[in-house]
Short mmCIF file of all heavy atoms in Angstrom, two decimals:
data_model
loop_
_atom_site.label_atom_id
_atom_site.label_comp_id
_atom_site.label_asym_id
_atom_site.label_seq_id
_atom_site.Cartn_x
_atom_site.Cartn_y
_atom_site.Cartn_z
N LEU A 1 84.97 30.72 -33.40
CA LEU A 1 83.65 30.49 -32.78
C LEU A 1 82.53 31.38 -33.37
O LEU A 1 81.34 31.14 -33.10
CB LEU A 1 83.70 30.73 -31.21
CG LEU A 1 84.62 29.77 -30.51
CD1 LEU A 1 84.82 30.36 -29.07
CD2 LEU A 1 84.01 28.41 -30.39
N GLY A 2 82.89 32.42 -34.16
CA GLY A 2 81.89 33.23 -34.73
C GLY A 2 81.23 34.18 -33.76
O GLY A 2 80.12 34.67 -34.04
N VAL A 3 81.92 34.56 -32.71
CA VAL A 3 81.40 35.46 -31.67
C VAL A 3 82.01 36.84 -31.90
O VAL A 3 83.08 37.01 -32.45
CB VAL A 3 81.68 34.99 -30.28
CG1 VAL A 3 80.94 33.69 -29.90
CG2 VAL A 3 83.19 34.71 -29.99
N ARG A 4 81.29 37.87 -31.41
CA ARG A 4 81.69 39.27 -31.59
C ARG A 4 82.63 39.72 -30.52
O ARG A 4 83.41 40.62 -30.71
CB ARG A 4 80.46 40.12 -31.70
CG ARG A 4 79.53 39.88 -32.84
CD ARG A 4 78.26 40.55 -32.73
NE ARG A 4 77.55 40.27 -31.48
CZ ARG A 4 76.33 40.78 -31.14
NH1 ARG A 4 75.76 41.62 -31.94
NH2 ARG A 4 75.82 40.37 -30.05
N GLU A 5 82.46 39.19 -29.33
CA GLU A 5 83.14 39.76 -28.13
C GLU A 5 84.00 38.62 -27.47
O GLU A 5 83.86 37.47 -27.69
CB GLU A 5 82.15 40.25 -27.08
CG GLU A 5 81.30 41.45 -27.66
CD GLU A 5 82.15 42.75 -27.96
OE1 GLU A 5 83.20 42.88 -27.36
OE2 GLU A 5 81.57 43.45 -28.76
N ILE A 6 84.81 39.07 -26.57
CA ILE A 6 85.65 38.16 -25.77
C ILE A 6 85.48 38.68 -24.32
O ILE A 6 85.06 39.79 -24.02
CB ILE A 6 87.10 38.14 -26.07
CG1 ILE A 6 87.76 39.50 -25.96
CG2 ILE A 6 87.33 37.49 -27.47
CD1 ILE A 6 89.29 39.50 -26.15
N ILE A 7 85.90 37.82 -23.34
CA ILE A 7 85.84 38.19 -21.93
C ILE A 7 87.12 39.05 -21.66
O ILE A 7 88.20 38.62 -21.94
CB ILE A 7 85.72 36.94 -21.00
CG1 ILE A 7 84.44 36.25 -21.33
CG2 ILE A 7 85.85 37.35 -19.52
CD1 ILE A 7 84.33 34.84 -20.63
N ASP A 8 86.91 40.21 -21.07
CA ASP A 8 88.04 41.12 -20.84
C ASP A 8 87.88 41.82 -19.49
O ASP A 8 87.08 41.47 -18.67
CB ASP A 8 88.06 42.15 -22.01
CG ASP A 8 86.79 42.90 -22.14
OD1 ASP A 8 86.04 43.04 -21.12
OD2 ASP A 8 86.55 43.49 -23.23
N ASP A 9 88.78 42.80 -19.26
CA ASP A 9 88.81 43.51 -17.98
C ASP A 9 87.44 44.13 -17.59
O ASP A 9 87.19 44.31 -16.44
CB ASP A 9 89.94 44.60 -18.07
CG ASP A 9 91.31 44.01 -18.09
OD1 ASP A 9 91.47 42.81 -17.65
OD2 ASP A 9 92.25 44.76 -18.45
N LEU A 10 86.71 44.59 -18.58
CA LEU A 10 85.51 45.37 -18.37
C LEU A 10 84.30 44.39 -18.13
O LEU A 10 83.41 44.87 -17.32
CB LEU A 10 85.19 46.23 -19.58
CG LEU A 10 86.21 47.30 -19.89
CD1 LEU A 10 85.79 48.08 -21.18
CD2 LEU A 10 86.28 48.32 -18.74
N ASN A 11 84.25 43.24 -18.64
CA ASN A 11 83.02 42.45 -18.51
C ASN A 11 83.11 41.12 -17.75
O ASN A 11 82.15 40.41 -17.65
CB ASN A 11 82.41 42.14 -19.95
CG ASN A 11 83.37 41.27 -20.75
OD1 ASN A 11 84.25 40.61 -20.29
ND2 ASN A 11 83.16 41.24 -22.07
N TYR A 12 84.32 40.84 -17.23
CA TYR A 12 84.49 39.59 -16.57
C TYR A 12 83.61 39.39 -15.35
O TYR A 12 83.12 38.20 -15.14
CB TYR A 12 86.01 39.39 -16.23
CG TYR A 12 86.39 40.08 -14.95
CD1 TYR A 12 86.24 39.50 -13.71
CD2 TYR A 12 86.97 41.35 -15.03
CE1 TYR A 12 86.62 40.19 -12.56
CE2 TYR A 12 87.33 42.02 -13.81
CZ TYR A 12 87.17 41.44 -12.68
OH TYR A 12 87.46 42.06 -11.49
N TYR A 13 83.36 40.47 -14.67
CA TYR A 13 82.50 40.38 -13.42
C TYR A 13 81.12 39.99 -13.93
O TYR A 13 80.42 39.16 -13.17
CB TYR A 13 82.53 41.60 -12.63
CG TYR A 13 81.58 41.66 -11.51
CD1 TYR A 13 81.56 40.71 -10.49
CD2 TYR A 13 80.55 42.67 -11.43
CE1 TYR A 13 80.69 40.77 -9.40
CE2 TYR A 13 79.68 42.72 -10.29
CZ TYR A 13 79.73 41.82 -9.35
OH TYR A 13 78.83 41.78 -8.31
N ASP A 14 80.59 40.49 -14.93
CA ASP A 14 79.28 40.22 -15.44
C ASP A 14 79.16 38.73 -15.80
O ASP A 14 78.21 38.03 -15.62
CB ASP A 14 78.87 41.06 -16.64
CG ASP A 14 78.67 42.49 -16.28
OD1 ASP A 14 77.95 42.80 -15.30
OD2 ASP A 14 79.26 43.37 -16.99
N MET A 15 80.30 38.16 -16.38
CA MET A 15 80.38 36.84 -16.77
C MET A 15 80.29 35.84 -15.54
O MET A 15 79.64 34.85 -15.53
CB MET A 15 81.61 36.52 -17.57
CG MET A 15 81.44 35.30 -18.45
SD MET A 15 80.11 35.32 -19.59
CE MET A 15 80.37 36.81 -20.56
N LEU A 16 80.97 36.35 -14.49
CA LEU A 16 80.90 35.52 -13.19
C LEU A 16 79.46 35.51 -12.71
O LEU A 16 78.99 34.46 -12.21
CB LEU A 16 81.83 36.16 -12.10
CG LEU A 16 83.33 36.07 -12.36
CD1 LEU A 16 84.06 36.78 -11.28
CD2 LEU A 16 83.75 34.55 -12.37
N LYS A 17 78.76 36.57 -12.81
CA LYS A 17 77.34 36.63 -12.40
C LYS A 17 76.46 35.66 -13.36
O LYS A 17 75.50 35.00 -12.89
CB LYS A 17 76.74 38.04 -12.42
CG LYS A 17 77.35 38.96 -11.31
CD LYS A 17 76.64 40.26 -11.21
CE LYS A 17 76.89 41.24 -12.33
NZ LYS A 17 76.32 42.55 -12.10
N ASN A 18 76.83 35.66 -14.62
CA ASN A 18 76.13 34.72 -15.47
C ASN A 18 76.39 33.27 -15.05
O ASN A 18 75.44 32.48 -15.06
CB ASN A 18 76.63 34.91 -16.96
CG ASN A 18 76.10 36.11 -17.62
OD1 ASN A 18 75.15 36.78 -17.16
ND2 ASN A 18 76.78 36.55 -18.73
N PHE A 19 77.63 32.98 -14.73
CA PHE A 19 77.94 31.63 -14.28
C PHE A 19 77.25 31.29 -12.96
O PHE A 19 76.83 30.14 -12.77
CB PHE A 19 79.44 31.45 -14.19
CG PHE A 19 80.12 30.98 -15.43
CD1 PHE A 19 80.98 31.79 -16.17
CD2 PHE A 19 79.88 29.69 -15.85
CE1 PHE A 19 81.55 31.31 -17.29
CE2 PHE A 19 80.46 29.18 -17.06
CZ PHE A 19 81.30 29.99 -17.78
N CYS A 20 77.10 32.28 -12.08
CA CYS A 20 76.39 32.05 -10.83
C CYS A 20 75.01 31.55 -11.18
O CYS A 20 74.48 30.56 -10.65
CB CYS A 20 76.43 33.31 -10.04
SG CYS A 20 75.63 33.09 -8.40
N LYS A 21 74.27 32.25 -12.05
CA LYS A 21 72.91 31.88 -12.38
C LYS A 21 72.91 30.55 -13.07
O LYS A 21 72.04 29.71 -12.91
CB LYS A 21 72.31 33.01 -13.35
CG LYS A 21 71.88 34.22 -12.63
CD LYS A 21 71.20 35.14 -13.55
CE LYS A 21 70.62 36.38 -12.88
NZ LYS A 21 69.81 37.25 -13.81
N PHE A 22 73.91 30.33 -13.87
CA PHE A 22 74.04 29.04 -14.69
C PHE A 22 74.18 27.84 -13.64
O PHE A 22 73.46 26.86 -13.85
CB PHE A 22 75.35 29.15 -15.44
CG PHE A 22 75.61 27.96 -16.41
CD1 PHE A 22 74.88 27.75 -17.53
CD2 PHE A 22 76.69 27.13 -16.12
CE1 PHE A 22 75.14 26.60 -18.35
CE2 PHE A 22 76.95 26.06 -16.90
CZ PHE A 22 76.15 25.75 -18.06
N PHE A 23 75.03 27.99 -12.69
CA PHE A 23 75.14 26.92 -11.69
C PHE A 23 73.91 26.62 -10.87
O PHE A 23 73.52 25.53 -10.59
CB PHE A 23 76.36 27.23 -10.77
CG PHE A 23 77.64 27.33 -11.39
CD1 PHE A 23 78.63 28.33 -10.97
CD2 PHE A 23 77.97 26.64 -12.49
CE1 PHE A 23 79.82 28.48 -11.64
CE2 PHE A 23 79.27 26.71 -13.17
CZ PHE A 23 80.12 27.60 -12.71
N VAL A 24 73.20 27.79 -10.50
CA VAL A 24 71.96 27.63 -9.72
C VAL A 24 70.92 26.94 -10.54
O VAL A 24 70.14 26.15 -10.04
CB VAL A 24 71.51 29.00 -9.18
CG1 VAL A 24 70.10 28.88 -8.63
CG2 VAL A 24 72.50 29.53 -8.13
N SER A 25 70.86 27.28 -11.84
CA SER A 25 69.87 26.64 -12.72
C SER A 25 70.08 25.18 -12.82
O SER A 25 69.09 24.39 -13.13
CB SER A 25 69.93 27.26 -14.14
OG SER A 25 71.07 26.80 -14.87
N MET A 26 71.28 24.64 -12.54
CA MET A 26 71.57 23.29 -12.59
C MET A 26 71.18 22.55 -11.31
O MET A 26 71.34 21.32 -11.23
CB MET A 26 73.07 23.05 -12.82
CG MET A 26 73.56 23.49 -14.20
SD MET A 26 75.39 23.40 -14.24
CE MET A 26 75.61 21.69 -13.99
N GLY A 27 70.90 23.35 -10.30
CA GLY A 27 70.47 22.77 -8.96
C GLY A 27 71.48 22.96 -7.84
O GLY A 27 71.34 22.43 -6.73
N TYR A 28 72.58 23.73 -8.15
CA TYR A 28 73.56 23.96 -7.08
C TYR A 28 73.05 25.12 -6.19
O TYR A 28 72.20 25.93 -6.64
CB TYR A 28 74.93 24.40 -7.67
CG TYR A 28 75.68 23.25 -8.26
CD1 TYR A 28 75.53 22.72 -9.57
CD2 TYR A 28 76.44 22.39 -7.42
CE1 TYR A 28 76.16 21.67 -10.07
CE2 TYR A 28 77.08 21.29 -7.92
CZ TYR A 28 76.96 20.92 -9.22
OH TYR A 28 77.59 19.73 -9.67
N SER A 29 73.61 25.20 -5.01
CA SER A 29 73.11 26.13 -4.01
C SER A 29 73.52 27.56 -4.32
O SER A 29 72.82 28.53 -3.93
CB SER A 29 73.59 25.77 -2.59
OG SER A 29 73.17 24.48 -2.25
N GLY A 30 74.63 27.67 -5.08
CA GLY A 30 75.18 29.04 -5.30
C GLY A 30 76.60 28.96 -5.81
O GLY A 30 77.12 27.81 -6.05
N PHE A 31 77.20 30.12 -5.90
CA PHE A 31 78.60 30.21 -6.36
C PHE A 31 79.45 30.99 -5.40
O PHE A 31 79.04 32.10 -4.99
CB PHE A 31 78.67 30.89 -7.73
CG PHE A 31 79.94 30.97 -8.41
CD1 PHE A 31 80.98 30.03 -8.12
CD2 PHE A 31 80.19 31.85 -9.45
CE1 PHE A 31 82.18 30.09 -8.79
CE2 PHE A 31 81.44 31.95 -10.13
CZ PHE A 31 82.42 31.03 -9.87
N MET A 32 80.45 30.35 -4.77
CA MET A 32 81.31 31.03 -3.75
C MET A 32 82.67 31.16 -4.35
O MET A 32 83.32 30.26 -4.95
CB MET A 32 81.37 30.24 -2.47
CG MET A 32 82.15 31.00 -1.41
SD MET A 32 82.29 30.03 0.13
CE MET A 32 83.72 29.05 -0.17
N ILE A 33 83.22 32.47 -4.27
CA ILE A 33 84.55 32.83 -4.79
C ILE A 33 85.39 33.36 -3.66
O ILE A 33 84.93 34.27 -2.96
CB ILE A 33 84.35 33.83 -5.92
CG1 ILE A 33 83.49 33.43 -7.01
CG2 ILE A 33 85.83 34.22 -6.42
CD1 ILE A 33 83.14 34.46 -8.06
N ASN A 34 86.54 32.77 -3.46
CA ASN A 34 87.47 33.15 -2.40
C ASN A 34 88.65 33.94 -3.05
O ASN A 34 89.30 33.47 -3.95
CB ASN A 34 88.03 31.98 -1.58
CG ASN A 34 86.97 31.38 -0.80
OD1 ASN A 34 85.94 32.00 -0.47
ND2 ASN A 34 87.18 30.12 -0.37
N LEU A 35 88.86 35.16 -2.61
CA LEU A 35 90.00 35.93 -3.15
C LEU A 35 90.95 36.30 -2.09
O LEU A 35 90.64 37.08 -1.19
CB LEU A 35 89.37 37.23 -3.75
CG LEU A 35 88.41 37.07 -4.91
CD1 LEU A 35 87.71 38.30 -5.37
CD2 LEU A 35 89.13 36.39 -6.11
N ASP A 36 92.13 35.68 -2.11
CA ASP A 36 93.12 35.76 -1.07
C ASP A 36 94.26 36.75 -1.43
O ASP A 36 94.29 37.18 -2.62
CB ASP A 36 93.66 34.46 -0.75
CG ASP A 36 94.32 34.23 0.63
OD1 ASP A 36 94.44 35.36 1.36
OD2 ASP A 36 94.69 33.15 1.03
N GLU A 37 95.07 37.02 -0.53
CA GLU A 37 96.30 37.92 -0.73
C GLU A 37 95.93 39.31 -1.16
O GLU A 37 96.51 39.87 -2.07
CB GLU A 37 97.24 37.26 -1.76
CG GLU A 37 97.73 35.87 -1.31
CD GLU A 37 98.63 35.88 -0.07
OE1 GLU A 37 99.07 36.97 0.29
OE2 GLU A 37 98.84 34.78 0.48
N ALA A 38 94.92 39.94 -0.42
CA ALA A 38 94.51 41.30 -0.73
C ALA A 38 95.68 42.29 -0.58
O ALA A 38 95.61 43.48 -1.04
CB ALA A 38 93.39 41.73 0.05
N ILE A 39 96.75 41.87 0.06
CA ILE A 39 97.96 42.75 0.21
C ILE A 39 98.46 43.27 -1.14
O ILE A 39 98.99 44.33 -1.25
CB ILE A 39 99.16 42.02 0.96
CG1 ILE A 39 100.37 42.82 1.22
CG2 ILE A 39 99.51 40.75 0.22
CD1 ILE A 39 100.05 43.93 2.21
N ASN A 40 98.17 42.41 -2.18
CA ASN A 40 98.62 42.82 -3.54
C ASN A 40 97.73 43.95 -4.17
O ASN A 40 98.22 44.55 -5.11
CB ASN A 40 98.72 41.61 -4.47
CG ASN A 40 99.90 40.76 -4.18
OD1 ASN A 40 101.02 41.22 -4.31
ND2 ASN A 40 99.66 39.50 -3.79
N LEU A 41 96.55 44.24 -3.60
CA LEU A 41 95.91 45.44 -3.96
C LEU A 41 96.43 46.63 -3.21
O LEU A 41 96.61 47.71 -3.76
CB LEU A 41 94.36 45.32 -3.69
CG LEU A 41 93.63 44.09 -4.42
CD1 LEU A 41 92.15 44.10 -4.09
CD2 LEU A 41 93.85 44.20 -5.87
N TYR A 42 96.70 46.40 -1.95
CA TYR A 42 97.23 47.46 -1.09
C TYR A 42 98.63 47.90 -1.63
O TYR A 42 98.97 49.09 -1.50
CB TYR A 42 97.50 46.77 0.28
CG TYR A 42 98.25 47.50 1.32
CD1 TYR A 42 97.58 48.31 2.31
CD2 TYR A 42 99.61 47.36 1.47
CE1 TYR A 42 98.25 48.99 3.28
CE2 TYR A 42 100.28 48.01 2.45
CZ TYR A 42 99.66 48.85 3.35
OH TYR A 42 100.35 49.49 4.36
N LYS A 43 99.37 46.95 -2.36
CA LYS A 43 100.67 47.37 -2.85
C LYS A 43 100.68 47.98 -4.20
O LYS A 43 101.76 48.31 -4.72
CB LYS A 43 101.54 46.04 -2.84
CG LYS A 43 101.99 45.53 -1.51
CD LYS A 43 102.40 44.09 -1.51
CE LYS A 43 103.48 43.78 -2.43
NZ LYS A 43 103.85 42.41 -2.42
N ILE A 44 99.56 48.15 -4.83
CA ILE A 44 99.43 48.79 -6.14
C ILE A 44 100.08 50.21 -6.00
O ILE A 44 99.69 50.97 -5.10
CB ILE A 44 98.00 48.90 -6.59
CG1 ILE A 44 97.50 47.50 -6.95
CG2 ILE A 44 97.94 49.82 -7.84
CD1 ILE A 44 96.07 47.45 -7.31
N GLY A 45 101.02 50.48 -6.86
CA GLY A 45 101.85 51.72 -6.68
C GLY A 45 101.10 53.03 -6.84
O GLY A 45 101.29 54.00 -6.10
N THR A 46 100.29 53.18 -7.86
CA THR A 46 99.62 54.36 -8.21
C THR A 46 98.27 54.53 -7.34
O THR A 46 97.45 53.56 -7.42
CB THR A 46 99.26 54.57 -9.61
OG1 THR A 46 98.52 53.48 -10.05
CG2 THR A 46 100.59 54.60 -10.47
N ALA A 47 98.05 55.61 -6.71
CA ALA A 47 96.91 55.79 -5.85
C ALA A 47 95.57 55.71 -6.70
O ALA A 47 94.56 55.14 -6.28
CB ALA A 47 96.94 57.17 -5.10
N ALA A 48 95.58 56.20 -7.92
CA ALA A 48 94.40 56.23 -8.81
C ALA A 48 93.98 54.78 -9.16
O ALA A 48 92.80 54.42 -9.12
CB ALA A 48 94.65 56.99 -10.08
#
């Protein structure tokens, strides 16, 4: 594609915000994201 960057662990949230603006510019009301099973964050082994 001739691009310099890819979407990764560091910038994916910024890309979600870009898409939110993208959808609103098309006439949609907004962007809703549902994140379920938060138990899997609780179960992360290392405290850090």
Side-chain angles (χ1 to χ4, degrees):
L1 297 165
V3 293
R4 298 169 300 182
E5 301 292 335
I6 59 173
I7 297 169
D8 57 24
D9 290 340
L10 296 177
N11 64 16
Y12 79 87
Y13 172 58
D14 293 314
M15 201 57 59
L16 289 174
K17 291 191 285 186
N18 286 343
F19 269 111
C20 184
K21 287 187 175 183
F22 183 74
F23 299 145
V24 172
S25 76
M26 294 173 60
Y28 285 92
S29 301
F31 188 19
M32 187 180 82
I33 303 170
N34 291 338
L35 299 172
D36 202 352
E37 302 294 345
I39 185 68
N40 284 299
L41 299 182
Y42 171 95
K43 286 160 58 179
I44 293 173
T46 56

